Amino acid sequence: MLEPDGLVVGGERVPFRRLAAAGGVELETRLADDPPGLRLEVTLRNPGRAEVVPGRVGMVVPASLAQVLEHGWQSWSVVRRCSPTDRRPERASSPGLVKRMHLADPDSAGETVNGDQFLLWDAGVAGFLAGGRHLSTVEARPDGLVAWALLDSTAIAPGAELQLDPLWISGGEPGPLYSAYAERWGATGQARPAATAPTGWCSWYHYFDRVTPRDVDDNTRLASSHRLGMVQIDDGWQAAIGDWTRAAPGWPGGTAAAAGRIRARGLTPGLWTAPFLVAENSAVAGRHPDWLVRRPDGLPVRSAYNPQWGGWAHALDTTHPGALDYLRSTFTALRAEGFDYHKIDFCYAAAAPGLRHDGSATRAGALRLGLQAVRDGIGDDAFLLGCGCPFGPAVGVVDAMRVSADVAPTWASEHRLAGFDETLPSLRNALAATLLRAPLHRRLWANDPDCLMLRPTQTGLEPWQRRLQAAVVAGTGGFAIVSDDLALLGDDEWETLEMVVSAGSDQPLDIEDPFADPLRITGRSTALVASADAGGQLPPGGGRTVLEASGPGGAARLVELDRA
Ligand code: 9PG
């Protein structure tokens, strides 16, 4: 049986007890049986006369770890199977922006192997069951793990208490435990796993930032004649990052007119925004410099860099009442224009390390406030997709979550990002993360594997790679949004899309053994056998084959199971 044997606060380690003291706080721990594992609740109390800033609280659990699942806190972060000693030291010298983007604890870059929120290893799982109070990361060591609650600069006043999000630990087979953990996480976090995901079209992976109203109209017409349900305009429509009520000059009539034209053809209008980013050149940044998260030296925190946006973008301080009002009214207005589907991107910015209006808020708490303001604005019945979003604080607010790096019309990326290559846009990177995060589907939300690209021309993808993507999307939940110039699709491609939609296994999914290759992912009526790492041979399997593809870089087979 796995059990904690130590507690760490403020760098001080003490033995695990029901009542303990370390780092200037008293700790009360409660261990409860939650078969097949244990649930641990911890309350911190400040017994002194001055406030205490605990920083982080660690729960030490001895265990023998051979292989672990490293994964970062947000959609695009690295997801990979590795040894607990494979810490990629080159990450330590990555730009601060890259570390802050991909890791809950940027200081751990190159130092330790972590599973943010939860760690799955070859013989167990340890994970926090909610993520609204604080961010968390589970550090892997060959002889055990430390589950860290990251309390940032939150202070505990004299006599006050602070409760940590509960932790669940269990030894056993990693496949079933992954599902069991996700199940508990979703239940504790009051997940919204049931909203019907639309089939649809997205502008990004064909038109990128050069999308025009004409492109949207042309594709809306084709989407409607092929009975897709939704048309989502991606990055490129806005006047500036941060000014979400102003469209760029090429969009006469703005978002209202665009939504109206989509609606007129009977489709649901969808819109991309990055609500917690504020570009240097935006009107909001000029008018409300007090709405930005700041560094200790007073400069605004840099949260993204994109030449297409005019350079740097800062982070919105979502603990500022003015910024929260702005978010709510902006999203109320967009909903009123007809946008029932919202892809909110670069959400990690709201959880940037830094100084905020409410100095007592954790980074998770700040992001949660921002997400809730968006939800309040669009209303409970609009569809909300998180992207570039830390998972923990989003459970219970979003209907769907991007679970991978960006796809691209190329199999592998020609770029390098030392220590973080898996985060670069490429079909292979996106598929690998999508496969390994399958058990989150319909337990926390609907998993978004990013857009299908089926076009046979104007693509760097070979036929087997496009078929492989179709099989993986169908077998990991069937969230089917196409991102092609639809005029390029022929009968074969439309038929493939039809297959993805009809065979799509939109049920909670299990991975038989997350450390095996190929992976076998089963839903109620389908089984997907797939590998995005190496080409090759798939073991023979029962069931009726629906989609199959293989090539030098990967292979997948989707079968329909006969389960009466
Ligand atoms: C629009 C795109 C698409 C896409 C999103 C997101 O610099 N970066 O690290 C970086 C990461 C991801 C990214 C763009 C830039 O893509 O995932 O679907 O909406 O934004 O800009």
Side-chain angles (χ1 to χ4, degrees), residues 76 101 204-205 234-235 272 343 345-346 387 402 406:
W76 314 321
M101 191 184 290
W204 184 252
Y205 297 97
D234 213 279
D235 184 5
W272 175 96
K343 171 179 175 182
D345 207 350
F346 293 83
C387 186
R402 246 295 273 295
D406 287 13

Side-chain angles (χ1 to χ4, degrees), residues 372-421:
Q372 192 60 51
V374 171
R375 169 57 80 188
D376 291 346
I378 60 174
D380 197 51
D381 56 342
F383 194 91
L384 185 59
L385 163 64
C387 186
C389 188
F391 286 5
V395 174
V397 188
V398 302
D399 301 294
M401 176 67 85
R402 246 295 273 295
V403 292
S404 73
D406 287 13
V407 298
T410 47
W411 177 251
S413 178
E414 61 204 31
H415 301 285
R416 296 292 318 266
L417 190 60
F420 292 96
D421 282 334

Side-chain angles (χ1 to χ4, degrees), residues 312-337:
W312 292 102
H314 303 305
L316 187 71
D317 178 357
T318 48
T319 72
H320 193 293
L324 285 173
D325 279 346
Y326 168 71
L327 284 174
R328 271 188 296 265
S329 59
T330 299
F331 280 87
T332 302
L334 291 173
R335 177 78 201 271
E337 289 180 355

